[in-house]
């Protein structure tokens, strides 16, 4: 059996893939087996070179093959690969990273709790919000409200908060006290709070730009209204910046576009550009103050890898590179170009219903005329032409989303849009 075939067969036999079609795997084997990455490109074992138009899972912000991060990881692992942060044990990478994040984060979000990824960050945020109310003597404030079309991960709390129903339907029993509300109308939140009783609600969580749900952007005033509603009812406002953090939208954090500050902020992905597994939750001074003043005994929340030294060292270097290479500004400028180029597709194609985006999160939604869905076909054909993008068909949508690495240049943006253009023209027939 040759090398490629052997890997394909082993994959089919032993690898249960995350968020994948098992039927497709068993029929066709793995879609790609990647072996190297450089800049915006990935190469598979058959020699196919593809533009990573999704930054893999919206996370490889500084692009592939950055030796600087490998070097830092190697140095940290040689020096101190692991030590615990429980029982107030500490180490320099976690301390320095927490300090750096306090400087970058909006408003008074100053203290960080580290996790291994976004789902753990979300579950942590819900637990910390409830713990805050417990310490405040209001244990009945326990409901968490999230939005329709939202994605918050696959841990039990994160799944329960996720607005995309198929993710919740994957399992039979969810966590209690999670409620969902329309994603773009602040009025709907107000009504739900009044219906449920403000005194029963711990927090409201939102992605500043919804990612997995199809790149949905709230109107300019939405988050200001949300902040006001949360203030009026003393409800904690959590932002899930797992995708939108670290420059993705052309600002350090997505919520910065809307001029409001959350009480709690979840992050992951772009903090290390995917080079190490790291996430976290930042809390406001008020919440940290309450924890400091009211906590007795042990703060009983912690993961083995909370503040992993190698992951924190990689994050520090990644942030340094984002700053040094002006990647936040680049994401903004390239995002403007991406939307302009995608708009041109809309003008030339009647099947395109809407083009939307912010920074390097872009979407083309197709007219859904109850014919076959176009976006899965576009994704498949784009892959054949050397572009990875993603189809979103939740909630009756037919959308292609793109989120390339922040290091992308204008020539590469045009390469992406010309592949999409060709693919759409071919599909139109
Ligand atoms: C907004 C958002 N929150 C949370 C998550 C979950 O993160 P993870 O897959 O690292 O657990 C994701 C993952 O895509 C996400 O997009």
């Amino acid at each position: 059996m040759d090398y490629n075939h052997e890997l394909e067969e082993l994959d089919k036999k032993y690898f249960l893939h995350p968020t994948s079609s098992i039927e497709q795997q068993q029929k066709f084997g793995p879609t790609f087996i990647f072996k190297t990455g450089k800049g915006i490109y990935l190469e598979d074992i058959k020699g196919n070179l593809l533009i990573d138009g999704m930054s893999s899972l919206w996370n490889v912000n500084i692009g592939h093959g950055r030796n600087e991060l490998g070097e830092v990881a190697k140095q940290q692992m040689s020096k101190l690969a692991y030590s615990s942060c429980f029982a107030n044990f500490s180490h320099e990478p976690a301390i320095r990273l927490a300090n750096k994040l306090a400087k970058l984060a909006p408003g008074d979000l100053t203290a960080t709790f580290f996790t291994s990824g976004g789902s753990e960050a979300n579950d942590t945020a819900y637990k910390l919000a409830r713990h805050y109310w417990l310490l405040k003597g209001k244990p009945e404030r326990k409901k968490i409200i999230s939005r329709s079309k939202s994605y918050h991960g696959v841990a039990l709390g994160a799944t329960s908060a996720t607005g995309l129903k198929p993710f919740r339907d994957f399992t039979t029993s969810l966590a209690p006290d999670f409620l969902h509300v329309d994603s773009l109308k602040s009025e709907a939140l107000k009504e739900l709070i009044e219906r449920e009783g403000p005194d029963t609600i711990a927090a409201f969580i939102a992605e500043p730009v919804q990612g997995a749900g199809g790149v949905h952007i709230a109107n300019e005033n939405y988050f200001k209204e949300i902040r006001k509603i949360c203030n009026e009812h003393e409800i904690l406002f959590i932002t899930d910046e797992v995708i939108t953090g670290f420059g993705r939208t052309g600002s350090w954090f997505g919520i910065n576009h809307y001029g409001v500050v959350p009480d709690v902020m979840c992050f992951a992905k772009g903090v290390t550009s995917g080079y190490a597994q790291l996430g976290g939750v930042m809390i406001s001074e008020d919440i940290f103050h309450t924890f400091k003043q009211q906590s007795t005994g042990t703060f009983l929340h912690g993961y083995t890898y909370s503040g992993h030294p190698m992951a924190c060292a990689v994050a520090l270097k990644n942030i340094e590179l984002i700053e040094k290479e002006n990647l936040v500004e680049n994401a903004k400028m390239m995002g403007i170009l991406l939307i302009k180029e995608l708009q041109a597709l809309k003008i030339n194609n009647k099947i395109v219903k809407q083009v939307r985006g912010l920074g390097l999160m872009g979407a083309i939604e197709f007219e859904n005329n109850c014919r076959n869905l176009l976006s899965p076909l576009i994704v498949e054909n784009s892959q054949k032409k050397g572009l990875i993008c993603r189809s979103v068909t939740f909630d009756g949508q037919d959308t292609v989303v793109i989120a390339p690495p922040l290091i992308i240049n204008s020539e590469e943006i045009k390469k992406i849009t010309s592949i999409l253009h060709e693919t759409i023209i071919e599909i139109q027939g």
Side-chain angles (χ1 to χ4, degrees), residues 245-397:
F246 303 93
R248 169 63 54 199
T249 66
S251 183
W252 271 98
F253 296 96
I255 200 65
N256 294 350
H257 292 283
Y258 302 101
V260 296
V261 177
D263 303 297
V264 179
M265 182 175 89
C266 303
F267 66 87
K269 298 188 187 273
V271 67
T272 60
S273 288
Y275 283 70
Q277 305 89 327
L278 186 73
V281 178
M282 298 192 70
I283 54 171
S284 69
E285 274 178 357
D286 168 51
I287 298 175
F288 196 29
H289 179 76
T290 302
F291 289 171
K292 285 191 265 194
Q293 295 292 309
Q294 314 271 349
S295 272
T296 51
T298 303
F299 187 79
L300 283 173
H301 187 72
Y303 300 98
T304 297
Y305 298 123
S306 284
H308 188 283
M310 183 276 289
C312 291
V314 167
L316 278 164
K317 182 52 104 182
N318 175 60
I319 292 168
E320 185 189 314
L321 293 174
I322 293 176
E323 283 178 327
K324 206 156 87 191
E325 296 173 14
N326 288 322
L327 296 183
V328 180
E329 181 63 18
N330 193 57
K332 184 176 165 192
M333 300 317 291
M334 291 303 109
I336 292 168
L337 179 64
L338 176 69
I339 296 305
K340 190 172 146 226
E341 295 282 316
L342 294 179
Q343 286 291 0
L345 298 185
K346 177 165 159 50
I347 293 160
N348 296 330
N349 295 279
K350 288 198 177 61
I351 55 170
V352 177
K353 180 177 162 190
Q354 192 191 35
V355 162
R356 51 182 181 262
L358 188 65
L360 286 171
M361 291 177 82
I364 315 168
E365 184 162 351
F366 296 94
E367 293 289 355
N368 195 337
N369 296 331
C370 303
R371 292 166 309 179
N372 290 337
L373 292 169
L374 296 176
S375 59
L377 216 57
I378 288 167
V379 167
E380 196 184 323
N381 290 3
S382 295
Q383 276 177 12
K384 288 183 190 145
K385 293 178 194 296
L387 170 68
I388 297 170
C389 49
R390 188 194 278 198
S391 151
V392 178
T393 56
F394 299 117
D395 273 359
Q397 290 177 84

Side-chain angles (χ1 to χ4, degrees), residues 58 117-120 122 151-153 207 240 242-243 268-269:
W58 324 78
S119 300
E120 283 184 0
N122 272 281
Y151 181 78
H152 298 294
E207 299 154 85
D240 180 346
V242 168
I243 287 179
K269 298 188 187 273

